[in-house]
Amino acid sequence: MPSMQQQDFTPWLNWIDSQYEQMLARTIELSHINSGSFNPAGVNKVGLQLLEYAKVLDAKVEILPVAPFKHIDNQGKLQEFPMGNAVRLTKRPEAKLQIFFCGHLDTVFPLDSDFQQTQWLDDETLNGPGVADLKGGLIVMLKAIEALERSPYAANIGWEILFNPDEEIGSQGSAGFISEAAKRVHLGMIYEPSFPDGNFAGERKGSGNFSIITRGKAAHAGREHHLGRNAVRAMCDFISALDDLNGKRTGVTINPALIEGGGANNIVPDLCLSRFNIRLEKPEDEQWCLDNIQQILDEINQRDGLSIEMHGHFGRKPKLLSAANLKLFQLACDCGSELGLNLTWLPTGGCCDGNNLAEAGIPNIDTLGVQGGKIHSSDEYLKVKSLTVRAKLSALMLMKLATSDDLNWLISDKPV
Ligand SMILES: [Zn+2]
């Protein structure tokens, strides 16, 4: 561990405790604003509400339009969906140590979802859309930064916050803002919920999402069956061969997730669509997957009257832990034990914006948000006491970084 000067940070940590009621009220307020990824008006409303909360930080504010989300529909046509804006706040870009904070505005719950309100499950557990993923985390992040700004140590740290609108659908449009920030910052703090016990996600798998379209030739199933070219059959062959790749390479899993095609019983189907996801552990696994899939595509494309095409890409690279990233985890766990928390980090198959940041070489912890669970379901819950606990954890990390006399492990290779 880098040596830390002995400082008493308790006044600012205690101040966070005094903020509990406000943090809870704000989390509930944000949860009640629907911000499904495809509800740009709601996403923007959350962004503006956060700017209200963040006024006290006195940062430079930028509203950043995000490119429409592109998607191949079930007719094989490219569709575009408007996204909400990203929001960036910047402070002290000249400071020696630059920190990137990130959290998403969107949730997986669409405008017409039945799940729009919070309710108490017991005294300590709040159920509601986004309370853990990630609206509680947004409140934790802002409160930790506010504590830093109130302390005498703030001058040593510059920071930028990115609130992005499309994380739940892969950050297609906001990934550019993350890689841009990576050029300016030394470390990242992202506010996805922790594991339910408070532990952090360490290594993360990479992920790719793909769509496949097969096209054949329609014909009457009775009179001219021989003239038809069956797109559903071609797709079934593709999916069978694709699924057979499972188990052939350690750490790689492929999930055929959807198939849609065909119509009336008396027509040879001329169109079929499917979607699948790949998870992998090592960057070089990507090429192995692409080579093997290409072989399957080539075989089907050689068939008379049939064609197959693939869209999509690996949007998230595997998150591997660099030496600097391990030190950052150690710092977080040390801060945890000072606060009476027993924390560690564990690998996961899930991925998030922390993958993107690690790909750009920036050590980061991406599960600094609240404790909760059952995210992406209407059982999503937040352990409300974790709002202040997790804000204190981040604030202590920030104050320790601000007062450390050895930051070479973080800033040696990067001029500011
Ligand atoms: Zn999330």
Side-chain angles (χ1 to χ4, degrees):
M1 272 312 297
S3 65
M4 302 284 182
Q5 291 165 25
Q6 284 307 308
Q7 300 273 358
D8 181 15
F9 301 120
T10 45
W12 295 280
L13 301 176
N14 289 344
W15 173 79
I16 289 176
D17 279 328
S18 76
Q19 299 293 298
Y20 169 74
E21 293 296 337
Q22 183 216 58
M23 293 178 76
L24 177 61
R26 288 180 171 183
T27 302
I28 292 171
E29 185 168 35
L30 293 184
S31 173
H32 289 173
I33 305 171
N34 177 280
S35 63
S37 312
F38 297 103
N39 174 15
V43 167
N44 287 340
K45 213 169 156 191
V46 173
L48 292 177
Q49 192 62 58
L50 289 171
L51 285 180
E52 276 305 309
Y53 302 159
K55 268 193 178 142
V56 59
L57 302 178
D58 192 28
K60 178 185 156 195
V61 173
E62 294 163 277
I63 309 279
L64 308 167
V66 165
F69 179 77
K70 294 189 180 62
H71 178 75
I72 304 286
D73 72 9
N74 57 8
Q75 297 301 305
K77 294 209 176 66
L78 181 69
Q79 301 276 4
E80 296 195 345
F81 298 88
M83 293 282 104
N85 297 315
V87 179
R88 182 162 60 205
L89 292 95
T90 318
K91 186 126 182 183
R92 287 186 297 277
E94 72 290 347
K96 186 174 72 163
L97 180 64
Q98 293 292 319
I99 300 183
F100 177 66
F101 295 94
C102 188
H104 58 85
L105 303 167
D106 60 327
T107 70
V108 298
F109 305 107
L111 193 51
D112 62 358
S113 163
D114 290 336
F115 188 41
Q116 305 284 0
Q117 291 293 313
T118 51
Q119 61 170 333
W120 288 95
L121 300 182
D122 59 50
D123 286 354
E124 297 186 355
T125 317
L126 182 72
N127 162 243
V131 287
D133 184 15
L134 172 151
K135 288 168 174 174
L138 296 170
I139 300 302
V140 166
M141 177 215 290
L142 289 177
K143 197 52 73 182
I145 300 172
E146 194 181 342
L148 172 74
E149 292 295 321
R150 293 171 67 93
S151 80
Y153 316 115
N156 299 341
I157 293 183
W159 46 262
E160 60 181 86
I161 302 174
L162 181 73
F163 297 129
N164 57 341
D166 58 347
E167 195 278 340
E168 293 294 4
I169 49 175
S171 303
Q172 201 184 83
S174 61
F177 298 127
I178 296 170
S179 45
E180 204 182 288
K183 295 184 190 130
R184 299 186 287 259
V185 301
H186 300 105
L187 74 134
M189 298 174 74
I190 301 178
Y191 286 79
E192 292 289 338
S194 68
F195 290 122
D197 56 7
N199 287 326
F200 303 112
E203 288 98 340
R204 288 178 178 273
K205 284 192 167 190
S207 169
N209 287 309
F210 299 88
S211 299
I212 296 283
I213 300 155
T214 52
R215 295 180 204 278
K217 196 170 183 317
H220 191 289
R223 287 165 56 139
E224 294 181 323
H225 182 267
H226 63 289
L227 295 180
R229 295 294 179 268
N230 194 315
V232 168
R233 167 62 198 260
M235 185 63 82
C236 291
D237 290 347
F238 173 81
I239 291 174
S240 301
L242 178 74
D243 192 61
D244 283 346
L245 295 176
N246 279 310
K248 298 245 166 79
R249 190 170 170 104
T250 311
V252 175
T253 54
I254 303 177
N255 182 44
L258 175 143
I259 179 167
E260 201 171 318
N265 256 354
N266 60 356
I267 304 173
V268 177
D270 65 350
L271 181 69
C272 189
L273 170 109
S274 81
R275 301 187 204 281
F276 65 94
N277 175 264
I278 302 181
R279 301 281 163 138
L280 43 75
E281 278 175 3
K282 297 188 287 297
E284 57 269 30
D285 295 335
E286 283 186 11
Q287 200 53 50
W288 182 87
C289 292
L290 293 174
D291 289 347
N292 279 278
I293 292 169
Q294 192 59 48
Q295 279 184 26
I296 307 170
L297 296 173
D298 288 347
E299 188 276 313
I300 291 171
N301 262 326
Q302 281 162 16
R303 298 183 189 179
D304 174 48
L306 285 158
S307 70
I308 183 165
E309 63 188 67
M310 182 165 84
H311 299 264
H313 67 291
F314 289 98
R316 310 272 200 203
K317 306 288 170 185
K319 179 178 178 180
L320 308 173
L321 298 183
S322 65
N325 214 144
L326 290 170
K327 278 194 156 189
L328 190 60
F329 274 112
Q330 197 54 57
L331 171 67
C333 293
D334 291 350
C335 289
S337 38
E338 282 188 37
L339 296 168
L341 309 169
N342 184 14
L343 299 176
T344 186
W345 62 94
L346 306 158
T348 173
C351 40
C352 74
D353 290 329
N355 292 63
N356 301 44
L357 211 50
E359 181 197 357
I362 302 301
N364 68 85
I365 300 180
D366 51 36
T367 36
L368 285 164
V370 295
Q371 274 175 261
K374 298 198 176 158
I375 60 171
H376 295 197
S377 84
S378 57
D379 294 326
E380 176 174 2
Y381 67 88
L382 159 68
K383 288 289 177 192
V384 289
K385 295 233 171 77
S386 70
L387 286 168
T388 46
V389 172
R390 302 294 285 192
K392 281 156 66 173
L393 178 66
S394 283
L396 186 54
M397 288 175 70
L398 293 172
M399 290 189 284
K400 290 216 174 205
L401 287 165
T403 53
S404 170
D405 51 21
D406 175 18
L407 290 174
N408 281 340
W409 60 281
L410 267 179
I411 62 178
S412 54
D413 57 342
K414 189 174 240 178
V416 172

